Amino acid sequence: MPNSLPLIVGFGGYSAAGRSSSHQAFRRMILESLPAEEQLKTIVSLACLMAQVTKEGEHYRDQDGVLLSPLDVDSRFRQQVLDGTLIRKIELFDPANIPGHKKISLTDAPEQTVQFTMLKRDLPKVPPQSWQIRDLEDGSVEVTATGSSQYLVESPYELIAKAAGQLPSGFNPSDHYNSRFHPRSLQMALIGASDAVHSMGIPWDKVAASVSPDEVGVYSSSVLSQMTEEGFGGLLQARLRGSRTTAKQVPLGLNSMPADFVNAYVLGSVGHTEAITGACASFLYVLQAAVRDIRSGRRRVAILGNAEAGVTPEISEGFANMSALGSDENLCKLDCTDTPDWRRASRPFGHNCGFTLSEATQYIVLMDDALAIELGADIHGAVPEVFINADGVKKSISAPGVGNYISFSKAVAAAINIVGEDSVKKHSFVHAHGSSTPANRTTESHLIEQVATAFDIYDWPVTAAKSYVGHSLSTASGDQLVSALGTFKYHMIPGIKTITEIAPDVAQERLRFPLQDIDVSAGKMDVAFINSKGFGGNNATAVLLSPEKVEEMLAVRYADRFNAYLTQRDITRATAAQYATRADAAQLDVIYRFGEPLIDEAGVTISAKGVHIPGFAQDVIFDLENPWQDMQQTAAVAAAQTDQLCVPD
């Protein structure tokens, strides 16, 4: 269908706040504003995810086997759940004792020597020329080194920023499927995409059977590749650490691997695949590609998102050397204390000193509106437009620029054209990039203020998810988007609770930066603007419509069958609720199709009209229409006229 509306029919993933599907992570962010029953549900489900308890029927057991009621779980584990989620001190490794080496140079005096013994089997294959080696009787050798020599000696070091947004304490993705030494970010890609697919409430096989194989698209990436031991991190460190590389580190390290893993191991898809990166705006880059293809009719279903495991010593040190991270020392200076407040390390639009690194995986499932109506899909929102613009000439590649003025203002103008001025002026809010750097708080607030002035918007709510979960790099705007879906569900805009006041250099004449959660149930939100900035001039802004606003639009387009759709949607919601119940008990049902039978290439048949692939309900059909037919006709007429002119009398 031309001008198809890309609908969000499923979403999932994991961040420092918990699981995205069924809004578990969002509820953790606004926990104190929830009714007691919702708080209980959130605490108990997170306790399961964090392996503090396991569910048995209507009861739970702790790690010692003691039977507990939900109220018991809440009373015993609430503080552990609170302490083990959101931004906190790094737990993945000891940030105060990072293994490292120091290069030392010994004397240049030729008459001075260094002598030591070592096992003969540990000798380098090519010993230094200055070494004199003498065999000893016990399998050791005596080494005498003369002249100048350089050595690496073990020398642990300390990170200057020890806070991070990590997955909840005790939650290890590899425990939920046979991870086979996958890098952490690829583990996260699998569990995030699986969560999104299950959240639909429609079996994937049914979705796949409803469309041609090439009408499915996967759009995913990790901007920094896989930098843990099993990926590029281990590859680049191996020789310097005296170990060897493996056959898996190069292929698993590629930044396109999240898309490849989702295609091969989650969906078994032979459809379109695309791995785009745009620094910290990467999620919106893959979102734009999916929206583009669904609107054009090239794709009818898209699974898109990112996975990034960026909390590593090397990445942390790299950003710290750019003065981009909020260091412990500077946090202490802000608070006039000797102890850094790691829980409040990320402080968007307040007095701040740098961003807080984090890890996350976020995926959403998009469908065109016709297919969603046909399948009875539940609709969580819609993304009609995503705009991306560069900064032009830059003095510093990491500095903010003018591109975001274009992307953001175009998004607001587009939203007004789609849903009207009233919805945008009175019922919209902004999910800012909000990185927590001094440069971001001034530049982003200024551009939002200018856009508000241009479109005559006042008291515009602006929130920032990074205050809760940190900066997950490629996944960051995915964190923002799923949080916005939570606002549509619970009619609550999360406050920026890590700050006590807005910094004086933040523009706020027409903007409202809430320090506590805002209840918007009296004036429900129709639109959210998801804004993102990335190093290098990667600016993107998405328009996100609420499910209520989308339902109004679909009721007009599909008036003749909308009631039938609503009936079918009830079945979908019931199925999705069943998965949510299992997932709340940490029964994640991770989809990992490794070892399943491969497609029999001998069974593939190709004709002039299309391709048949064994195991797929529909064939790939060639598009036989010529989009340049008018150009060919014009050329043919011109050629005929030329021929007539050339005919002799």
Side-chain angles (χ1 to χ4, degrees), residues 1 300 368-376 554-569:
M1 174 186 293
R300 304 201 66 193
D368 70 45
D369 52 294
L371 183 61
I373 293 294
E374 174 189 335
L375 297 180
L554 295 179
V556 174
R557 175 173 275 188
Y558 300 98
D560 58 334
R561 45 187 160 141
F562 197 69
N563 288 335
Y565 157 73
L566 294 177
T567 300
Q568 194 173 1
R569 185 182 67 179

Side-chain angles (χ1 to χ4, degrees), residues 447-457 460 509-511:
L447 84 87
I448 300 173
E449 178 83 15
Q450 280 201 292
V451 172
T453 301
F455 292 97
D456 197 28
I457 302 172
W460 208 3
E509 181 180 344
R510 291 170 175 262
L511 310 182

Side-chain angles (χ1 to χ4, degrees), residues 212-220 259 263 267 269-276 289-290 292-293 298-299 301-303:
S212 175
D214 62 338
E215 291 179 325
V216 175
V218 171
Y219 308 76
S220 184
N263 276 316
L267 305 179
S269 174
V270 298
H272 180 74
T273 183
E274 201 163 336
I276 314 169
R292 171 201 68 207
D293 286 354
R298 285 182 174 271
R299 239 59 64 197
V301 184
I303 292 83

Side-chain angles (χ1 to χ4, degrees), residues 23-43 78 486 490 492 497 517:
H23 304 288
Q24 182 196 68
F26 182 78
R27 294 197 308 271
R28 171 62 186 93
M29 292 163 65
I30 61 164
L31 188 70
E32 59 269 35
S33 300
L34 292 173
E37 183 179 353
E38 289 285 336
Q39 290 193 35
L40 176 67
K41 175 183 176 181
T42 305
I43 294 296
R78 174 177 282 253
Y490 288 92
M492 193 78 66
K497 302 170 194 168
D517 302 332

Side-chain angles (χ1 to χ4, degrees), residues 87 160-165 316 319-334 341-358 433-442 464 466-473 496 498-499 503 535:
I87 293 171
I160 68 169
K162 299 184 185 66
S316 177
F319 280 123
N321 288 338
M322 296 169 58
S323 300
L325 294 187
S327 68
D328 291 4
E329 179 182 1
N330 286 335
L331 287 174
C332 289
K333 288 180 180 179
L334 287 177
D341 188 347
W342 291 309
R343 299 288 287 181
R344 297 177 52 245
S346 180
R347 306 178 185 187
F349 303 109
H351 297 279
N352 52 37
C353 57
F355 75 78
T356 302
L357 197 61
S358 73
H433 182 67
S435 65
S436 186
T437 64
N440 172 263
R441 78 186 184 214
T442 57
K466 290 181 181 66
S467 62
Y468 296 92
V469 297
H471 194 336
S472 56
L473 306 176
I496 306 173
T498 54
I499 63 177
F535 287 161

